[in-house]
Amino acid sequence: MNLPTQYQWLNELRGLPNAIKLALAEYGVKEVVGKGSTKTIIDWRDELNGAAPAGKPIVSGFSDDDIAWCGLFAAIICYRRKEKIAEVVKDPLWARNWAKYGTVSPVASLGDVLVFVRNGGGHVGFYIGEDKAYYHVLGGNQSNMVCFTRILKSRCIAVRRPPYATLPQGVQRYHLAPTGMVSKNES
């Protein structure tokens, strides 16, 4: 996979959590800015709603990729991780609802779900690594696409561990160089 140089180590890592494998497969998906939507992003909504019990959509109110979709990205990845709709939090479009996902993680590690505050709401993404002041996050709706960004650790309000039967070998902290895009408001 053609990842930025500083994240190419993910291609070689043994014991990569399934959520990260799945998220990397979506790397580079971009929204349509303005009128119209990217079919892939709308398909995520439809896949989740198709897996939900009849008459109980998991994702409601999402008609266009101009609507914040970081929670939708987290939902499709967490759902596909086990092919279980129970992996998705209630009202997943609300990023802060992901603070109820899985269990509290003792320390942020590869594959953990990170929930952040931002102007006007929240943001959710997956821990890839960290430097002194920032978490390196793989998420959706970061610069209108699925990509990596750095987000201040002080903005993080929850670190949540997916429910694992067996902890993957790669689930640990990764200290990375303090390089790459810094995000101030993901929307």
Side-chain angles (χ1 to χ4, degrees), residues 103-173:
T103 58
V104 173
S105 181
V107 61
S109 298
L110 185 64
D112 285 351
V113 171
L114 303 179
V115 181
F116 300 92
V117 294
R118 70 170 179 85
N119 292 337
H123 182 66
V124 61
F126 297 94
Y127 175 99
I128 295 301
E130 62 191 274
D131 57 53
K132 185 175 180 178
Y134 295 91
Y135 285 121
H136 294 237
V137 180
L138 174 57
N141 205 33
Q142 298 179 163
S143 298
N144 296 328
M145 65 186 295
V146 176
C147 66
F148 299 96
T149 195
R150 295 167 57 223
I151 302 175
L152 273 172
K153 289 179 177 181
S154 62
R155 290 183 43 211
C156 188
I157 59 171
V159 178
R160 305 296 292 191
R161 174 86 26 99
Y164 292 115
T166 304
L167 195 66
Q169 177 183 347
V171 176
Q172 55 187 289
R173 291 174 77 181

Side-chain angles (χ1 to χ4, degrees), residues 29 57 81 101 155 174:
V29 170
R81 191 180 83 78
Y101 176 72
R155 290 183 43 211
Y174 290 90

Side-chain angles (χ1 to χ4, degrees), residues 7-17 20-21 24 110-111 127-128 168-174:
Y7 300 109
Q8 287 181 3
W9 59 272
L10 290 163
N11 289 322
E12 307 301 323
L13 186 68
R14 296 174 57 96
L16 193 65
I20 299 303
K21 289 178 195 174
L24 289 171
L110 185 64
Y127 175 99
I128 295 301
Q169 177 183 347
V171 176
Q172 55 187 289
R173 291 174 77 181
Y174 290 90

